[in-house]
Short mmCIF file of all heavy atoms in Angstrom, two decimals:
data_model
loop_
_atom_site.label_atom_id
_atom_site.label_comp_id
_atom_site.label_asym_id
_atom_site.label_seq_id
_atom_site.Cartn_x
_atom_site.Cartn_y
_atom_site.Cartn_z
N MET V 1 111.92 41.85 -162.22
CA MET V 1 112.18 40.52 -161.66
C MET V 1 111.14 40.20 -160.59
O MET V 1 110.65 41.07 -159.88
CB MET V 1 113.57 40.48 -161.01
CG MET V 1 114.72 40.62 -161.99
SD MET V 1 114.98 39.15 -162.98
CE MET V 1 115.86 38.09 -161.83
N LYS V 2 110.85 38.91 -160.51
CA LYS V 2 109.96 38.42 -159.45
C LYS V 2 110.82 37.68 -158.43
O LYS V 2 111.82 37.04 -158.77
CB LYS V 2 108.94 37.44 -160.01
CG LYS V 2 108.15 37.98 -161.18
CD LYS V 2 107.04 38.87 -160.70
CE LYS V 2 106.14 39.25 -161.88
NZ LYS V 2 105.13 40.25 -161.47
N GLN V 3 110.41 37.76 -157.19
CA GLN V 3 111.15 37.09 -156.12
C GLN V 3 110.20 36.35 -155.20
O GLN V 3 109.07 36.80 -154.96
CB GLN V 3 111.92 38.14 -155.31
CG GLN V 3 112.56 37.61 -154.05
CD GLN V 3 113.22 38.73 -153.25
OE1 GLN V 3 114.28 39.20 -153.60
NE2 GLN V 3 112.56 39.17 -152.19
N PHE V 4 110.66 35.22 -154.70
CA PHE V 4 109.89 34.48 -153.71
C PHE V 4 110.84 33.90 -152.67
O PHE V 4 111.90 33.36 -153.02
CB PHE V 4 109.10 33.34 -154.38
CG PHE V 4 108.48 32.39 -153.40
CD1 PHE V 4 107.40 32.78 -152.62
CD2 PHE V 4 108.99 31.11 -153.24
CE1 PHE V 4 106.86 31.91 -151.70
CE2 PHE V 4 108.43 30.24 -152.32
CZ PHE V 4 107.37 30.64 -151.55
N ARG V 5 110.47 34.02 -151.42
CA ARG V 5 111.22 33.38 -150.33
C ARG V 5 110.40 32.22 -149.81
O ARG V 5 109.27 32.40 -149.37
CB ARG V 5 111.46 34.37 -149.19
CG ARG V 5 112.49 35.44 -149.51
CD ARG V 5 112.83 36.23 -148.25
NE ARG V 5 113.77 37.29 -148.53
CZ ARG V 5 113.44 38.51 -148.98
NH1 ARG V 5 112.17 38.79 -149.18
NH2 ARG V 5 114.36 39.41 -149.22
N CYS V 6 111.01 31.05 -149.82
CA CYS V 6 110.29 29.86 -149.36
C CYS V 6 109.85 30.01 -147.90
O CYS V 6 108.83 29.47 -147.50
CB CYS V 6 111.16 28.62 -149.56
SG CYS V 6 110.25 27.08 -149.42
N ALA V 7 110.61 30.77 -147.13
CA ALA V 7 110.28 30.95 -145.71
C ALA V 7 108.89 31.54 -145.49
O ALA V 7 108.30 31.39 -144.42
CB ALA V 7 111.33 31.83 -145.04
N ASP V 8 108.34 32.22 -146.51
CA ASP V 8 106.99 32.77 -146.38
C ASP V 8 105.94 31.66 -146.33
O ASP V 8 104.81 31.89 -145.91
CB ASP V 8 106.69 33.70 -147.55
CG ASP V 8 107.45 35.02 -147.42
OD1 ASP V 8 107.77 35.42 -146.28
OD2 ASP V 8 107.74 35.64 -148.46
N VAL V 9 106.31 30.46 -146.81
CA VAL V 9 105.38 29.33 -146.81
C VAL V 9 105.87 28.21 -145.90
O VAL V 9 105.10 27.58 -145.20
CB VAL V 9 105.18 28.80 -148.25
CG1 VAL V 9 104.27 27.58 -148.28
CG2 VAL V 9 104.59 29.91 -149.14
N VAL V 10 107.19 27.98 -145.91
CA VAL V 10 107.83 26.96 -145.07
C VAL V 10 108.80 27.70 -144.14
O VAL V 10 109.91 28.03 -144.54
CB VAL V 10 108.59 25.92 -145.91
CG1 VAL V 10 109.18 24.84 -145.03
CG2 VAL V 10 107.68 25.31 -146.97
N PRO V 11 108.37 27.96 -142.90
CA PRO V 11 109.12 28.87 -142.02
C PRO V 11 110.60 28.55 -141.84
O PRO V 11 111.40 29.48 -141.72
CB PRO V 11 108.37 28.74 -140.69
CG PRO V 11 106.97 28.40 -141.09
CD PRO V 11 107.11 27.52 -142.31
N ASP V 12 110.99 27.29 -141.85
CA ASP V 12 112.39 26.96 -141.58
C ASP V 12 113.27 26.98 -142.81
O ASP V 12 114.48 26.79 -142.71
CB ASP V 12 112.49 25.56 -140.95
CG ASP V 12 111.91 25.55 -139.55
OD1 ASP V 12 111.86 26.62 -138.92
OD2 ASP V 12 111.51 24.47 -139.08
N CYS V 13 112.70 27.20 -143.98
CA CYS V 13 113.47 27.09 -145.22
C CYS V 13 114.10 28.44 -145.57
O CYS V 13 113.48 29.49 -145.45
CB CYS V 13 112.57 26.63 -146.36
SG CYS V 13 113.50 26.27 -147.86
N THR V 14 115.37 28.39 -146.02
CA THR V 14 116.09 29.63 -146.35
C THR V 14 116.19 29.86 -147.86
O THR V 14 116.85 30.80 -148.29
CB THR V 14 117.52 29.58 -145.77
OG1 THR V 14 118.19 28.43 -146.27
CG2 THR V 14 117.49 29.53 -144.24
N ALA V 15 115.55 29.00 -148.65
CA ALA V 15 115.67 29.13 -150.11
C ALA V 15 115.00 30.42 -150.60
O ALA V 15 113.98 30.85 -150.07
CB ALA V 15 115.03 27.93 -150.80
N ARG V 16 115.62 31.01 -151.64
CA ARG V 16 115.11 32.24 -152.21
C ARG V 16 115.25 32.13 -153.72
O ARG V 16 116.25 31.62 -154.22
CB ARG V 16 115.94 33.41 -151.68
CG ARG V 16 115.53 34.77 -152.15
CD ARG V 16 116.38 35.82 -151.44
NE ARG V 16 116.35 37.08 -152.16
CZ ARG V 16 117.11 37.34 -153.22
NH1 ARG V 16 117.98 36.46 -153.64
NH2 ARG V 16 117.01 38.49 -153.84
N PHE V 17 114.23 32.59 -154.44
CA PHE V 17 114.21 32.41 -155.89
C PHE V 17 113.95 33.75 -156.58
O PHE V 17 113.22 34.59 -156.06
CB PHE V 17 113.12 31.42 -156.30
CG PHE V 17 113.24 30.11 -155.58
CD1 PHE V 17 112.54 29.87 -154.41
CD2 PHE V 17 114.10 29.13 -156.04
CE1 PHE V 17 112.66 28.67 -153.73
CE2 PHE V 17 114.25 27.93 -155.37
CZ PHE V 17 113.52 27.71 -154.21
N GLU V 18 114.54 33.88 -157.79
CA GLU V 18 114.29 35.05 -158.62
C GLU V 18 114.12 34.59 -160.06
O GLU V 18 114.79 33.67 -160.52
CB GLU V 18 115.49 36.01 -158.59
CG GLU V 18 115.48 36.96 -157.43
CD GLU V 18 116.64 37.95 -157.52
OE1 GLU V 18 117.31 38.00 -158.57
OE2 GLU V 18 116.84 38.68 -156.56
N ALA V 19 113.20 35.24 -160.77
CA ALA V 19 113.01 34.92 -162.19
C ALA V 19 112.37 36.12 -162.87
O ALA V 19 111.81 37.01 -162.21
CB ALA V 19 112.13 33.69 -162.36
N GLU V 20 112.45 36.12 -164.22
CA GLU V 20 111.88 37.23 -164.99
C GLU V 20 110.36 37.21 -164.96
O GLU V 20 109.71 38.24 -165.06
CB GLU V 20 112.34 37.15 -166.44
CG GLU V 20 113.83 37.41 -166.63
CD GLU V 20 114.20 38.86 -166.35
OE1 GLU V 20 113.29 39.72 -166.38
OE2 GLU V 20 115.37 39.12 -166.08
N SER V 21 109.78 36.00 -164.84
CA SER V 21 108.33 35.88 -164.92
C SER V 21 107.82 35.01 -163.78
O SER V 21 108.57 34.23 -163.18
CB SER V 21 107.92 35.23 -166.25
OG SER V 21 108.40 33.89 -166.28
N GLU V 22 106.52 35.14 -163.50
CA GLU V 22 105.92 34.31 -162.46
C GLU V 22 106.01 32.83 -162.84
O GLU V 22 106.29 31.98 -161.99
CB GLU V 22 104.45 34.71 -162.27
CG GLU V 22 103.77 33.92 -161.16
CD GLU V 22 102.34 34.37 -160.91
OE1 GLU V 22 102.15 35.51 -160.49
OE2 GLU V 22 101.42 33.57 -161.15
N ALA V 23 105.82 32.53 -164.14
CA ALA V 23 105.89 31.12 -164.57
C ALA V 23 107.28 30.54 -164.33
O ALA V 23 107.42 29.41 -163.87
CB ALA V 23 105.51 31.02 -166.05
N GLY V 24 108.31 31.34 -164.64
CA GLY V 24 109.68 30.88 -164.43
C GLY V 24 109.97 30.67 -162.96
O GLY V 24 110.68 29.73 -162.56
N LEU V 25 109.42 31.56 -162.15
CA LEU V 25 109.62 31.45 -160.71
C LEU V 25 108.92 30.20 -160.16
O LEU V 25 109.50 29.44 -159.39
CB LEU V 25 109.06 32.71 -160.05
CG LEU V 25 109.41 32.97 -158.59
CD1 LEU V 25 110.92 33.07 -158.42
CD2 LEU V 25 108.74 34.23 -158.11
N LEU V 26 107.69 29.99 -160.58
CA LEU V 26 106.95 28.83 -160.10
C LEU V 26 107.62 27.52 -160.50
O LEU V 26 107.61 26.56 -159.73
CB LEU V 26 105.50 28.87 -160.62
CG LEU V 26 104.62 29.93 -159.97
CD1 LEU V 26 103.26 29.96 -160.64
CD2 LEU V 26 104.45 29.68 -158.48
N ALA V 27 108.24 27.51 -161.69
CA ALA V 27 108.94 26.29 -162.12
C ALA V 27 110.09 25.97 -161.16
O ALA V 27 110.31 24.81 -160.80
CB ALA V 27 109.47 26.46 -163.54
N GLN V 28 110.82 27.01 -160.74
CA GLN V 28 111.91 26.80 -159.78
C GLN V 28 111.36 26.33 -158.43
O GLN V 28 111.94 25.47 -157.78
CB GLN V 28 112.67 28.11 -159.55
CG GLN V 28 113.44 28.62 -160.75
CD GLN V 28 114.19 29.90 -160.40
OE1 GLN V 28 114.79 30.02 -159.35
NE2 GLN V 28 114.12 30.87 -161.29
N VAL V 29 110.26 26.94 -158.01
CA VAL V 29 109.67 26.60 -156.72
C VAL V 29 109.17 25.15 -156.71
O VAL V 29 109.37 24.42 -155.74
CB VAL V 29 108.54 27.58 -156.36
CG1 VAL V 29 107.80 27.12 -155.12
CG2 VAL V 29 109.11 28.98 -156.16
N VAL V 30 108.55 24.74 -157.81
CA VAL V 30 108.04 23.37 -157.90
C VAL V 30 109.20 22.37 -157.82
O VAL V 30 109.12 21.35 -157.13
CB VAL V 30 107.23 23.18 -159.20
CG1 VAL V 30 106.99 21.70 -159.50
CG2 VAL V 30 105.90 23.91 -159.10
N ARG V 31 110.32 22.69 -158.52
CA ARG V 31 111.49 21.81 -158.48
C ARG V 31 112.06 21.75 -157.07
O ARG V 31 112.42 20.69 -156.55
CB ARG V 31 112.54 22.32 -159.46
CG ARG V 31 113.62 21.30 -159.78
CD ARG V 31 114.65 21.86 -160.77
NE ARG V 31 114.01 22.56 -161.88
CZ ARG V 31 114.32 23.81 -162.26
NH1 ARG V 31 115.23 24.51 -161.61
NH2 ARG V 31 113.72 24.36 -163.27
N HIS V 32 112.13 22.91 -156.41
CA HIS V 32 112.64 22.97 -155.04
C HIS V 32 111.74 22.20 -154.08
O HIS V 32 112.22 21.48 -153.20
CB HIS V 32 112.74 24.45 -154.62
CG HIS V 32 112.93 24.66 -153.16
ND1 HIS V 32 114.11 24.39 -152.51
CD2 HIS V 32 112.09 25.13 -152.20
CE1 HIS V 32 113.98 24.68 -151.23
NE2 HIS V 32 112.77 25.12 -151.00
N ALA V 33 110.44 22.34 -154.25
CA ALA V 33 109.49 21.64 -153.37
C ALA V 33 109.66 20.13 -153.49
O ALA V 33 109.59 19.40 -152.50
CB ALA V 33 108.05 22.04 -153.74
N ARG V 34 109.92 19.68 -154.72
CA ARG V 34 110.10 18.24 -154.95
C ARG V 34 111.43 17.77 -154.36
O ARG V 34 111.49 16.79 -153.62
CB ARG V 34 110.05 17.95 -156.45
CG ARG V 34 110.11 16.46 -156.77
CD ARG V 34 110.25 16.24 -158.27
NE ARG V 34 111.51 16.82 -158.73
CZ ARG V 34 111.73 17.32 -159.96
NH1 ARG V 34 110.75 17.33 -160.83
NH2 ARG V 34 112.88 17.82 -160.28
N ASP V 35 112.52 18.50 -154.69
CA ASP V 35 113.85 18.04 -154.31
C ASP V 35 114.13 18.24 -152.82
O ASP V 35 114.81 17.42 -152.20
CB ASP V 35 114.91 18.79 -155.12
CG ASP V 35 114.86 18.42 -156.60
OD1 ASP V 35 114.18 17.42 -156.94
OD2 ASP V 35 115.50 19.12 -157.40
N ASP V 36 113.67 19.35 -152.26
CA ASP V 36 114.05 19.69 -150.88
C ASP V 36 112.93 19.49 -149.87
O ASP V 36 113.19 19.45 -148.67
CB ASP V 36 114.54 21.13 -150.83
CG ASP V 36 115.83 21.31 -151.61
OD1 ASP V 36 116.66 20.38 -151.61
OD2 ASP V 36 116.00 22.36 -152.24
N HIS V 37 111.69 19.41 -150.33
CA HIS V 37 110.59 19.23 -149.39
C HIS V 37 109.81 17.94 -149.64
O HIS V 37 108.80 17.70 -148.98
CB HIS V 37 109.63 20.44 -149.45
CG HIS V 37 110.28 21.72 -148.99
ND1 HIS V 37 110.77 21.91 -147.71
CD2 HIS V 37 110.54 22.86 -149.64
CE1 HIS V 37 111.29 23.11 -147.62
NE2 HIS V 37 111.18 23.72 -148.77
N GLY V 38 110.27 17.14 -150.61
CA GLY V 38 109.65 15.84 -150.84
C GLY V 38 108.24 15.89 -151.37
O GLY V 38 107.48 14.93 -151.21
N MET V 39 107.86 17.03 -151.98
CA MET V 39 106.50 17.15 -152.55
C MET V 39 106.53 16.73 -154.00
O MET V 39 106.94 17.49 -154.88
CB MET V 39 106.02 18.61 -152.48
CG MET V 39 105.67 19.10 -151.12
SD MET V 39 105.03 20.80 -151.27
CE MET V 39 104.83 21.21 -149.55
N GLU V 40 106.10 15.50 -154.27
CA GLU V 40 106.09 15.02 -155.66
C GLU V 40 105.12 15.86 -156.49
O GLU V 40 105.38 16.18 -157.63
CB GLU V 40 105.69 13.55 -155.67
CG GLU V 40 106.10 12.85 -156.95
CD GLU V 40 107.61 12.90 -157.20
OE1 GLU V 40 108.40 12.67 -156.26
OE2 GLU V 40 107.98 13.18 -158.34
N HIS V 41 104.00 16.22 -155.90
CA HIS V 41 103.04 17.11 -156.54
C HIS V 41 102.74 18.24 -155.56
O HIS V 41 102.39 17.97 -154.41
CB HIS V 41 101.75 16.38 -156.89
CG HIS V 41 101.98 15.22 -157.82
ND1 HIS V 41 102.27 15.39 -159.16
CD2 HIS V 41 102.01 13.90 -157.59
CE1 HIS V 41 102.45 14.20 -159.71
NE2 HIS V 41 102.29 13.26 -158.79
N VAL V 42 102.88 19.46 -156.02
CA VAL V 42 102.62 20.60 -155.15
C VAL V 42 101.12 20.88 -155.16
O VAL V 42 100.55 21.15 -156.21
CB VAL V 42 103.40 21.84 -155.63
CG1 VAL V 42 103.15 23.01 -154.69
CG2 VAL V 42 104.90 21.52 -155.70
N PRO V 43 100.48 20.81 -154.00
CA PRO V 43 99.03 21.03 -153.93
C PRO V 43 98.64 22.46 -154.35
O PRO V 43 99.44 23.39 -154.20
CB PRO V 43 98.69 20.81 -152.44
CG PRO V 43 99.87 20.11 -151.87
CD PRO V 43 101.06 20.51 -152.68
N HIS V 44 97.43 22.60 -154.87
CA HIS V 44 96.98 23.90 -155.34
C HIS V 44 97.00 24.96 -154.24
O HIS V 44 97.33 26.12 -154.49
CB HIS V 44 95.56 23.80 -155.92
CG HIS V 44 95.55 23.33 -157.35
ND1 HIS V 44 96.01 24.11 -158.39
CD2 HIS V 44 95.18 22.16 -157.89
CE1 HIS V 44 95.90 23.42 -159.52
NE2 HIS V 44 95.41 22.23 -159.25
N ASP V 45 96.67 24.56 -153.02
CA ASP V 45 96.65 25.57 -151.96
C ASP V 45 98.06 26.07 -151.65
O ASP V 45 98.25 27.23 -151.28
CB ASP V 45 95.94 25.06 -150.70
CG ASP V 45 96.59 23.82 -150.13
OD1 ASP V 45 97.25 23.08 -150.89
OD2 ASP V 45 96.43 23.58 -148.92
N VAL V 46 99.04 25.20 -151.82
CA VAL V 46 100.43 25.63 -151.62
C VAL V 46 100.85 26.58 -152.74
O VAL V 46 101.47 27.62 -152.50
CB VAL V 46 101.39 24.42 -151.54
CG1 VAL V 46 102.85 24.87 -151.51
CG2 VAL V 46 101.06 23.57 -150.32
N LEU V 47 100.49 26.24 -153.98
CA LEU V 47 100.80 27.13 -155.10
C LEU V 47 100.14 28.49 -154.92
O LEU V 47 100.73 29.52 -155.22
CB LEU V 47 100.34 26.50 -156.42
CG LEU V 47 101.28 25.46 -157.04
CD1 LEU V 47 100.67 24.93 -158.33
CD2 LEU V 47 102.65 26.04 -157.31
N ASP V 48 98.90 28.49 -154.43
CA ASP V 48 98.22 29.76 -154.17
C ASP V 48 98.97 30.58 -153.12
O ASP V 48 99.11 31.80 -153.24
CB ASP V 48 96.78 29.52 -153.70
CG ASP V 48 95.87 29.07 -154.84
OD1 ASP V 48 96.27 29.22 -156.02
OD2 ASP V 48 94.77 28.57 -154.54
N ALA V 49 99.48 29.88 -152.09
CA ALA V 49 100.23 30.56 -151.04
C ALA V 49 101.53 31.13 -151.61
O ALA V 49 101.94 32.24 -151.27
CB ALA V 49 100.53 29.60 -149.89
N VAL V 50 102.18 30.37 -152.50
CA VAL V 50 103.40 30.85 -153.14
C VAL V 50 103.10 32.10 -153.95
O VAL V 50 103.78 33.13 -153.82
CB VAL V 50 104.01 29.76 -154.06
CG1 VAL V 50 105.14 30.33 -154.91
CG2 VAL V 50 104.54 28.59 -153.20
N ARG V 51 102.06 32.03 -154.79
CA ARG V 51 101.71 33.19 -155.63
C ARG V 51 101.41 34.42 -154.78
O ARG V 51 101.77 35.53 -155.14
CB ARG V 51 100.47 32.87 -156.48
CG ARG V 51 100.79 32.04 -157.69
CD ARG V 51 99.65 32.14 -158.71
NE ARG V 51 99.72 31.05 -159.66
CZ ARG V 51 99.10 29.88 -159.50
NH1 ARG V 51 98.33 29.68 -158.46
NH2 ARG V 51 99.23 28.94 -160.40
N ALA V 52 100.78 34.21 -153.65
CA ALA V 52 100.40 35.33 -152.78
C ALA V 52 101.63 36.04 -152.20
O ALA V 52 101.55 37.19 -151.79
CB ALA V 52 99.51 34.83 -151.65
N HIS V 53 102.78 35.33 -152.18
CA HIS V 53 103.98 35.90 -151.57
C HIS V 53 105.03 36.32 -152.59
O HIS V 53 106.12 36.72 -152.21
CB HIS V 53 104.59 34.89 -150.59
CG HIS V 53 103.78 34.74 -149.34
ND1 HIS V 53 102.86 33.73 -149.15
CD2 HIS V 53 103.74 35.49 -148.21
CE1 HIS V 53 102.30 33.87 -147.97
NE2 HIS V 53 102.81 34.92 -147.36
N ILE V 54 104.72 36.21 -153.87
CA ILE V 54 105.67 36.66 -154.90
C ILE V 54 105.75 38.18 -154.87
O ILE V 54 104.73 38.87 -154.81
CB ILE V 54 105.24 36.15 -156.29
CG1 ILE V 54 105.44 34.64 -156.38
CG2 ILE V 54 106.08 36.85 -157.39
CD1 ILE V 54 104.93 34.02 -157.67
N GLU V 55 106.98 38.68 -154.87
CA GLU V 55 107.21 40.13 -154.84
C GLU V 55 107.91 40.58 -156.11
O GLU V 55 108.72 39.85 -156.68
CB GLU V 55 108.11 40.49 -153.64
CG GLU V 55 107.52 40.14 -152.30
CD GLU V 55 108.54 40.31 -151.19
OE1 GLU V 55 109.75 40.43 -151.48
OE2 GLU V 55 108.11 40.32 -150.02
N ASP V 56 107.65 41.81 -156.51
CA ASP V 56 108.39 42.42 -157.61
C ASP V 56 109.66 43.06 -157.04
O ASP V 56 109.59 43.77 -156.05
CB ASP V 56 107.55 43.49 -158.30
CG ASP V 56 106.42 42.87 -159.11
OD1 ASP V 56 106.73 42.02 -159.96
OD2 ASP V 56 105.26 43.24 -158.89
N VAL V 57 110.79 42.79 -157.69
CA VAL V 57 112.04 43.39 -157.26
C VAL V 57 112.74 44.02 -158.47
O VAL V 57 112.45 43.67 -159.62
CB VAL V 57 112.98 42.35 -156.60
CG1 VAL V 57 112.42 41.92 -155.26
CG2 VAL V 57 113.23 41.17 -157.51
N GLU V 58 113.66 44.92 -158.21
CA GLU V 58 114.42 45.59 -159.28
C GLU V 58 115.33 44.63 -160.00
O GLU V 58 115.95 43.80 -159.39
CB GLU V 58 115.26 46.73 -158.69
CG GLU V 58 114.42 47.86 -158.13
CD GLU V 58 113.66 48.58 -159.24
OE1 GLU V 58 114.26 48.83 -160.32
OE2 GLU V 58 112.48 48.88 -159.04
ZN1 LIG T 1 111.87 25.53 -149.25
#
């Protein structure tokens, strides 16, 4: 499983995501960014920051 904590990119956010693949995880993060952070389009540098903080979990 892959895991990402939004707080690693947006310090005040408590959202946490898990998915089988990085693509599945990024899809959740993009939806969250749009719905909860008002990002209609997630900039490439933000996506790079997200990828840099994805962790493997059991
Ligand atoms: Zn967030």
Side-chain angles (χ1 to χ4, degrees):
M1 294 286 281
K2 306 280 188 186
Q3 171 184 284
F4 170 71
R5 287 189 182 85
C6 194
D8 287 333
V9 177
V10 183
D12 291 337
C13 188
T14 57
R16 181 175 161 278
F17 306 94
E18 275 185 9
E20 292 292 340
S21 65
E22 182 177 295
L25 192 60
L26 288 175
Q28 293 181 44
V29 172
V30 166
R31 196 180 315 127
H32 166 72
R34 185 188 62 210
D35 292 347
D36 294 324
H37 295 298
M39 287 184 185
E40 200 59 45
H41 301 286
V42 181
H44 277 290
D45 59 335
V46 173
L47 278 180
D48 286 345
V50 170
R51 281 198 198 91
H53 288 97
I54 290 175
E55 298 171 345
D56 288 305
V57 291
E58 293 294 317

